[in-house]
Amino acid sequence: MVDRKPDATGADGKREAPLDVLIAGAGYVGLTAAVSLKQARPGLAVAVVDAAPAGVWRRDGRASAIAAAASRMLEQLGVWEEIAPEAQAITEMIITDSRAADPVRPVFLTFDGEVAPGEPFAHMVANRDLNGALRRRAEKLGIDLIEGMAVSAFDVNGAGITVHLADGATLKARLLIAADGVNSKLRDMAGIKTVKWEYGQSGIVCTVAHERPHNGRAEEHFLPAGPFATLPLKPDKDGTNRSSIVWVERTEDAKALVAGDEFVFEHDLEQRFGLKLGEISVADKPRAWPLGLTLARAFVAPRFALAGDAAHGIHPIAGQGLNLGFKDVAALAEVVVEADRLGQDIGALDVLERYQQWRRFDTLQMGVTTDVLNRLFSNDIGPLRAARDLGLGLVERMPRLKDFFIRQASGLSGDTPRLLKGEAI
């Protein structure tokens, strides 16, 4: 995608032809929103503005779990075919509950990795592969991207919204979508309050190389300080076996681990990872970020909507943050497209409230669920450990309940938007 401003601006710095939709944020949520709207309604003028410098997304070494519903959506949007060769299917998921020093980690719960024959419930995808495919699709659809430019303010004025950029330029649109992350500046500008607290934990992310293949198995170990997840990746170009690690520790310990000696880091990592896949080594620089719960009190305002982490930031214990964002996009796109087909004002509050009603309860429910799970499992209280292990064992013996959890994890439960079913809007 080229780095350019949408169309020409007049002498006063204002875009001469107003946009229909302007999206702030060129991560997976913002780009997917742009592609969803433009593909369904080619006549809509859609643009994306992003504060990050051009090309910074290429340096993102992280990977994300893409649920089955999200991969159906990406296939419908014409990008999954490009991503699929580099995506690693998760064929099995196992859950243990132990201490890091325990010599044996009994498996309490296992999940087969399919929601339908031949369809894994999730894939692991490198963030830069996902972002790059979405950018190329957006460019093909004629969506403009303004990179390295923050939104400094916006004003709602009747039938439109005027967005002021950091360089003094202004853009006019009928709808502004904020997809600028959990610390959303646009959310603050809109005066939307949040419910927020910190967990005193940080998530360490890195890639680990190992001798033996993982065979598509993902593992989540519940440890006293927080969950330790091992997620399978495609081998690199040299054939090296790799996995992505999401390692939750108390914040002060996480900071010390990431900033400290590499040998100490690998020693502590090996204690948690084990040697079941042979010798291991850290393949990239570990990074840590603080974890908390952030829920917006409202998802919409006149001519303004939140999506993705700007609307909700949750604990990674269930691996659903990214997929909640995709569900936001699918619901918002469906609401906006249907309103446009009916000749309604796509930025009107009564239209946007349909999106809020659709997504708010589901988001609250997931936020509460991950909060309870984290508090339940991130401790070393004996009676609580016994109770939760009993619960995991009971689920293991109840196939229908396991199927329910697989449907939840795949994003195919509840009132699912059409895009997440793989259907056009």
Side-chain angles (χ1 to χ4, degrees):
M1 184 181 294
V2 292
D3 177 14
R4 58 191 170 92
K5 293 184 180 179
D7 295 350
T9 56
D12 58 357
K14 294 183 179 180
R15 187 181 187 277
E16 293 174 345
L19 294 161
D20 292 299
V21 183
L22 178 64
I23 299 162
Y28 70 89
V29 169
L31 291 171
T32 306
V35 170
S36 300
L37 291 167
K38 189 69 174 177
Q39 177 169 296
R41 300 294 283 172
L44 288 176
V46 180
V48 180
V49 60
D50 192 64
V56 71
W57 60 274
R58 292 189 176 91
R59 300 196 292 273
D60 188 349
R62 297 171 298 170
S64 299
I66 306 295
S71 61
R72 290 182 183 185
M73 176 179 180
L74 293 170
E75 184 173 17
Q76 176 60 224
L77 296 179
V79 296
W80 185 249
E81 185 177 355
E82 179 181 342
I83 296 169
E86 303 303 322
Q88 171 63 53
I90 298 178
T91 59
E92 184 184 12
M93 178 79 185
I94 71 169
I95 294 174
T96 75
D97 186 9
S98 62
R99 300 176 181 87
D102 288 351
V104 177
R105 291 181 180 169
V107 174
F108 288 97
L109 190 54
T110 62
F111 292 104
D112 292 329
E114 291 187 337
V115 292
E119 183 181 16
F121 79 88
H123 288 81
M124 288 299 296
V125 175
N127 286 7
R128 55 177 165 255
D129 290 341
L130 174 60
N131 197 292
L134 286 167
R135 283 169 177 259
R136 285 183 283 277
R137 180 61 178 153
E139 182 175 12
K140 187 174 181 180
L141 290 170
I143 297 165
D144 290 292
L145 173 64
I146 309 169
E147 295 192 88
M149 189 62 60
V151 172
S152 59
F154 58 85
D155 307 304
V156 176
N157 37 44
I161 186 167
T162 301
V163 180
H164 305 273
L165 304 182
D167 65 353
T170 60
L171 298 171
K172 287 186 177 293
R174 290 198 287 159
L175 172 62
L176 173 62
I177 299 173
D180 55 337
V182 71
N183 297 313
S184 172
K185 290 182 169 55
L186 276 78
R187 183 183 64 214
D188 295 340
M189 292 176 197
I192 295 175
K193 304 297 183 184
T194 60
V195 175
K196 185 173 183 178
W197 58 77
E198 304 297 329
Y199 288 121
Q201 297 170 312
S202 288
I204 301 170
V205 175
C206 67
T207 301
V208 174
H210 42 83
E211 282 186 285
R212 293 192 282 274
H214 45 59
N215 297 318
R217 172 187 277 189
E219 300 185 4
E220 186 157 26
H221 305 294
F222 290 124
L223 301 172
F228 178 91
T230 305
L231 303 164
L233 297 175
K234 277 277 190 179
D236 67 12
K237 293 179 180 178
D238 299 324
T240 302
N241 297 305
R242 303 178 305 144
S243 292
S244 178
I245 299 301
V246 181
W247 173 3
V248 176
E249 280 287 345
R250 296 177 182 88
T251 293
E252 58 184 24
D253 295 334
K255 287 180 179 177
L257 281 164
V258 169
D261 185 84
E262 292 180 10
F263 177 79
V264 173
F265 183 88
E266 287 207 8
H267 175 268
D268 283 9
L269 175 64
E270 188 176 287
Q271 272 195 314
R272 291 155 177 79
F273 193 96
L275 295 175
K276 57 191 174 297
L277 299 181
E279 294 294 326
I280 67 171
S281 61
V282 178
D284 58 5
K285 182 175 176 55
R287 301 182 183 278
W289 78 101
L291 301 177
L293 177 68
T294 302
L295 296 174
R297 291 184 178 273
F299 281 19
V300 300
R303 309 213 166 272
F304 180 84
L306 297 173
D309 287 352
H312 42 72
I314 65 172
H315 197 283
I317 193 168
Q320 289 298 304
L322 177 145
N323 295 295
L324 277 180
F326 277 125
K327 204 165 186 178
D328 291 345
V329 168
L332 181 56
E334 191 167 321
V335 166
V336 169
V337 166
E338 287 183 351
D340 191 56
R341 285 186 179 133
L342 293 170
Q344 298 173 339
D345 182 352
I346 62 172
L349 190 57
D350 61 336
V351 170
L352 299 178
E353 282 177 343
R354 298 173 205 162
Y355 160 66
Q356 176 168 268
Q357 290 168 5
W358 197 345
R359 294 296 304 130
R360 206 169 166 198
F361 177 75
D362 180 51
T363 298
L364 175 62
Q365 186 178 46
M366 184 58 71
V368 170
T369 299
T370 56
D371 183 74
V372 170
L373 286 174
N374 184 52
R375 294 176 191 277
L376 178 62
F377 284 95
S378 297
N379 63 71
D380 199 21
I381 301 170
L384 197 56
R385 176 187 290 276
R388 70 198 187 205
D389 291 350
L390 176 62
L392 290 174
L394 289 173
V395 173
E396 176 68 11
R397 291 164 177 79
M398 301 175 70
R400 288 188 178 180
L401 191 54
K402 288 175 71 173
D403 289 344
F404 168 78
F405 285 126
I406 283 287
R407 297 289 293 182
Q408 288 284 119
S410 68
L412 295 170
S413 62
D415 188 4
T416 306
R418 289 203 290 269
L419 280 173
L420 292 177
K421 298 175 185 176
E423 301 171 1
I425 55 173

